[in-house]
């Protein structure tokens, strides 16, 4: 399926998209059509499933028929994207998935959220265990995880590393600064542009000041 230059940004809990504005502008400057989804019930009160359905609707709305898009999910947004990719058939519509400081294996802080979404994001939750059992489903979306060793929201910090795909460690001081960090944005732009290098597309900025690992 042809790869489109549409990128959809999925913010984290309680965030209507403000954290993604700098990244959205950078992607537009690099020649992408970037959309930030404004999730309803973004506290996670009703769980990840209704938000993944909202993402599915937006993908169908903004992508051309027969083309795939890219997804960039921050924190909880990365888990919403995974549910869409792995349980709603979204892998067929996405050629690149990037997760920014997402709790793929849960976070201790989620135990303070006494509702469905909080329970789903806890360490050892059945929801996350189920997704991780077949994380290999993400491989067709060329998955990337970007994380910071100083994250005090995703605990343990290693939870932000996907078990498949590329991984980048970037020394960002605070969790909420991750999607606004210039080095992180450079990586996202470069990763999305890499898809089109063989077609002579503009590759955008190259990542700098990062430690990269491949798995």
């Amino acid at each position: 399926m042809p790869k489109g230059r549409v990128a959809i940004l999925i913010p984290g809990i309680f965030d209507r998209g403000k954290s993604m504005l700098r990244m959205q502008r950078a992607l537009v400057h690099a020649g992408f059509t970037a959309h930030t989804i404004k999730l309803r019930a973004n506290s996670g009160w009703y769980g990840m499933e209704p938000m993944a359905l909202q993402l599915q609707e937006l993908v169908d709305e903004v992508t051309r028929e027969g083309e795939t898009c890219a997804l960039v999910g921050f924190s909880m947004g990365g888990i919403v994207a995974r549910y869409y990719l792995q349980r709603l058939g979204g892998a067929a519509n996405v050629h690149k998935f990037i997760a920014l400081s997402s709790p793929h294996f849960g976070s201790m802080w989620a135990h303070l959220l006494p509702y469905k979404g909080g329970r789903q994001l806890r360490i050892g939750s059945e929801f996350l265990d189920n997704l991780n059992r077949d994380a290999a489903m993400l491989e067709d979306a060329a998955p990337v995880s970007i994380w910071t060793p100083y994250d005090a929201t995703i605990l343990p910090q290693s939870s932000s590393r996907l078990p498949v795909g590329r991984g980048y460690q970037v020394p960002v001081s605070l969790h909420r600064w991750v999607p606004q960090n210039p080095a992180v944005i450079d990586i996202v732009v470069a990763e999305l542009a890499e898809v089109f290098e063989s077609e002579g597309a503009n590759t955008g900025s190259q990542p700098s000041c990062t430690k990269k690992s491949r798995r």
Side-chain angles (χ1 to χ4, degrees):
M1 188 179 292
K3 299 175 176 64
R5 296 185 70 90
V6 170
I8 298 175
L9 312 182
I10 309 118
I13 193 168
F14 306 125
D15 185 353
R16 294 280 287 173
K18 185 177 179 181
S19 67
M20 312 299 281
L21 290 177
R22 184 177 295 177
M23 182 175 293
Q24 183 175 11
R25 289 194 293 266
L27 287 168
V28 170
H29 182 73
F32 293 91
T33 301
H35 303 269
T36 297
I37 187 169
K38 295 178 172 58
L39 293 168
R40 301 182 297 278
N42 64 354
S43 67
W45 185 269
Y46 301 107
M48 304 299 112
E49 298 89 344
M51 292 183 286
L53 288 170
Q54 294 171 50
L55 176 59
Q56 182 180 50
E57 291 173 3
L58 184 61
V59 171
D60 292 343
E61 177 185 338
V62 302
T63 56
R64 295 179 181 178
E65 185 174 357
E67 285 190 351
T68 58
C69 67
L71 300 181
V72 182
F74 169 52
S75 196
M76 182 187 73
I79 307 303
V80 171
R82 284 191 62 181
Y83 190 84
Y84 165 67
L85 290 165
Q86 295 179 243
R87 296 294 177 262
L88 299 181
N93 304 316
V94 175
H95 63 260
K96 173 65 75 173
F97 166 52
I98 301 178
L100 313 175
S101 292
S102 295
H104 302 293
F105 294 90
S107 175
M108 292 174 58
W109 286 107
H111 290 264
L112 300 178
L113 303 176
Y115 48 81
K116 184 176 181 180
R119 292 191 295 272
Q120 289 177 330
L121 298 178
R122 292 173 183 173
I123 296 170
S125 75
E126 182 180 353
F127 179 85
L128 290 175
D129 285 349
N130 183 272
L131 289 180
N132 289 324
R133 274 195 293 271
D134 59 6
M137 290 181 65
L138 297 171
E139 290 179 352
D140 287 343
V144 173
S145 51
I146 302 174
W147 64 287
T148 172
Y150 304 120
D151 202 325
T153 299
I154 308 301
L155 294 174
Q157 292 88 354
S158 59
S159 180
S160 293
R161 301 171 65 180
L162 278 166
V164 294
R166 294 177 178 176
Y168 294 87
Q169 178 180 312
V170 185
V172 185
S173 300
L174 292 175
H175 177 77
R176 62 187 177 89
W177 290 350
V178 169
Q180 304 171 57
N181 179 270
V184 171
I185 291 173
D186 282 351
I187 293 170
V188 171
V189 172
E191 282 285 341
L192 267 57
E194 182 183 44
V195 175
F196 302 97
E197 284 182 350
S198 62
E199 302 171 16
N202 177 15
T203 58
S205 302
Q206 295 298 314
S208 59
C209 301
T210 64
K211 179 180 177 181
K212 178 180 175 181
S213 61
R214 291 175 183 264
R215 290 181 294 280

